[in-house]
Amino acid sequence: MRVAIVGFPYSGKTALFRAISGVPLDHLKPTEENLAAVHIPEPRLDLLEKLFKPRRRTEATMDFIDLPGSTEGQVEKAGLERHLPTLRQVDALVLVVRAFESPSVPPHGGSVDPQRDLAQLRDEMLVADLAICATRVEKLQKAITKPSKEHDQQKHELELLLRCQNALENEQPLSQVVQPGAEEKLLRSFGFLTQKPVTAVINVNEEQAGNPPPFRDPHAVETLAVCATLEAELIQMDPADRPAFMAEYGIRALARDRIVRSCVQALGMIFMLTACAEEVRAWPLPKGTTAVEAAAKVHTDLARGFIKAETVSYEDLRAAGSIREAKAAGKVRLEPKHYVVQDGDFITVKFNV
Ligand SMILES: Nc1nc2c(ncn2[C@@H]2O[C@H](COP(=O)(O)OP(=O)(O)O)[C@@H](O)[C@H]2O)c(=O)[nH]1
Ligand SMILES: [Mg+2]
């Protein structure tokens, strides 16, 4: 899963990237895209580690991308157009808007105004999507005038795109217009920005870290207040020193963990847990994944020779205390191929190849 951080120049995107990734400033390439794989904390693996004493613990990761700032001109824009090849391919966006004051860092637009910046950022996303939409509509309209076997399909796509175009012109993000399922699938290859789930971050002053101003992006899955520079410092600290520092600023949880959690939610991801003597592991899956699809992620053999998925929910396993006890309590089910995996299911695939 890939998440790009977007926002105006000097909104604190790179500071936030450092806060999420823990990558120090002098390790970043200033003129290139920076990517970091960030662990998705999975405390439920603690119990499995205790039960299985494996050699390895593998948490899922999420890739975060920081885009380079513009070196000349265009500072009045977030530069989404310039970064479209990357942005079209990410699964979610973190929108950063600036609320911090700093005499040494000139704000975008001449003043600090998060509402205005958010509106402009959303506008830029709409405009980028409108351009993608218009190009495709034009192509389809031409294609439809020529004889072809694919007319029905093209007409269907054109209809959907015209609906999208209309929505965008009315300043509606596509996430509110496109139905999940067939429509969403048909549009996926376009990589529309307003179709992607968003976590909004308002980058506040140090003094506001524990008591942020009310601010919300109504189209975001969640809006989080963060002091990016403070959090970038915090993540570099010895974990033992963090609590005192956090208490001083009234920070209740690391921005890294809050943002990762929010993106997990935005993306509709769930986790399947597995264990063997070698490894305990959390597998990220889209909601709705079936047992046989989940098995395929682990190994193609497991899907090919799938017999049953021996399944127990994490809560039942925790309450029982061990697999044996869970079995004795009748909490371990044998699920078929089409079983829809639930978040926190501990699964052992029974297979035969
Ligand atoms: N005081 C303060 N300064 C910040 C904060 N976030 C970023 N900055 C500063 O603003 C400048 C621009 O930040 P940067 O992360 O490079 O912004 P970007 O252009 O969006 O990547 C840097 O000098 C940062 O140190 C913040 O939360 N508070
Ligand atoms: Mg930057």
Side-chain angles (χ1 to χ4, degrees), residues 93-218:
L93 299 172
V94 170
L95 301 192
V96 184
V97 289
R98 170 169 171 171
F100 71 86
E101 301 277 353
S102 168
S104 57
V105 186
H108 155 78
S111 61
V112 175
D113 186 341
Q115 287 295 354
R116 175 203 62 202
D117 287 359
L118 178 66
Q120 288 185 6
L121 206 49
R122 285 281 182 185
D123 264 353
E124 227 179 287
M125 289 165 68
L126 288 166
V127 168
D129 283 358
L130 265 172
I132 299 170
C133 217
T135 310
R136 183 66 185 159
V137 163
E138 204 177 311
K139 248 199 198 135
L140 282 171
Q141 277 170 337
K142 265 199 202 122
I144 277 169
T145 59
K146 296 181 193 136
S148 155
K149 284 197 201 91
E150 288 152 12
H151 268 178
D152 279 355
Q153 209 183 323
Q154 287 169 341
K155 270 189 192 149
H156 178 61
E157 189 184 337
L158 182 60
E159 238 168 73
L160 178 57
L161 282 169
L162 286 172
R163 207 170 86 223
C164 290
Q165 201 171 19
N166 185 48
L168 291 165
E169 279 163 358
N170 288 300
E171 299 184 6
Q172 245 186 322
L174 294 182
S175 55
Q176 296 189 340
V177 186
V178 177
Q179 302 291 327
E183 288 193 356
E184 192 266 324
K185 213 164 159 190
L186 183 62
L187 294 180
R188 200 174 292 161
S189 64
F190 296 110
F192 288 121
L193 302 187
T194 66
Q195 200 186 338
K196 299 180 193 289
V198 164
T199 290
V201 168
I202 170 174
N203 187 10
V204 298
N205 285 326
E206 294 186 4
E207 311 80 66
Q208 294 174 306
N211 184 23
F215 177 88
R216 211 173 68 82
D217 174 359

Side-chain angles (χ1 to χ4, degrees), residues 42 44-60 271-285 291 294-299 302 309-312 314 317 323 341-350:
E42 182 48 88
R44 292 176 294 196
L45 287 180
D46 295 353
L47 172 68
L48 295 181
E49 256 190 322
K50 217 173 77 196
L51 296 178
F52 288 86
K53 309 209 171 13
R55 267 192 282 259
R56 258 197 330 273
R57 168 186 179 131
T58 309
E59 289 177 332
F271 296 89
M272 167 177 77
L273 311 174
T274 63
C276 60
E278 200 61 40
E279 179 186 50
V280 292
R281 185 159 177 168
W283 301 82
L285 303 171
K297 298 240 171 177
V298 179
H299 201 288
L302 296 194
E310 193 182 79
T311 306
V312 54
Y314 172 78
L317 180 58
I323 302 289
V341 177
Q342 302 297 305
D343 182 47
D345 274 353
F346 173 71
I347 289 183
T348 309
V349 176
K350 304 288 171 197

Side-chain angles (χ1 to χ4, degrees), residues 9-10 12-15 30 66-69:
Y10 310 121
K13 300 183 297 296
T14 300
D66 184 33
L67 302 163

